[in-house]
Amino acid sequence: MPDMSASASLAMTHLVSLAKEVDEDKVTPGVLGFIVFAVMALAVWGLMKSMNRHMGKVDFKETSERGDSGEGGDSDSKASPAKG
């Protein structure tokens, strides 16, 4: 590996020696893994609560463009195409 820098090769040898010391039967996510999972769960819970609040404000009833006059016998009362 002649093109590796000195610091990168030193880091690799240090990490390899640490990897040899770790017992594979005792490796667990630990406290940090639990904290990350808990933070992600709280974020999802907050997003769902916010989404429910916003969806509650949405009015799903269509309103006509001319208002509630009740006159809909014209051929001109068709809805205009959606603008993109």
Side-chain angles (χ1 to χ4, degrees), residues 3-75:
D3 56 341
M4 284 184 108
S5 66
S7 62
S9 63
L10 180 63
M12 288 297 290
T13 57
H14 183 66
L15 289 175
V16 170
S17 65
L18 283 177
K20 290 178 184 177
E21 295 174 10
V22 174
D23 186 11
E24 292 182 11
D25 295 331
K26 295 182 181 179
V27 175
T28 62
V31 177
L32 180 63
F34 175 74
I35 291 171
V36 169
F37 182 78
V39 167
M40 289 174 60
L42 286 173
V44 169
W45 177 77
L47 287 171
M48 293 293 288
K49 190 170 182 172
S50 175
M51 182 190 69
N52 282 334
R53 189 178 311 125
H54 282 86
M55 291 299 286
K57 294 178 183 178
V58 174
D59 182 24
F60 289 105
K61 296 178 184 173
E62 289 188 27
T63 58
S64 63
E65 292 180 9
R66 297 190 323 175
D68 293 337
S69 63
E71 298 175 9
D74 300 358
S75 63

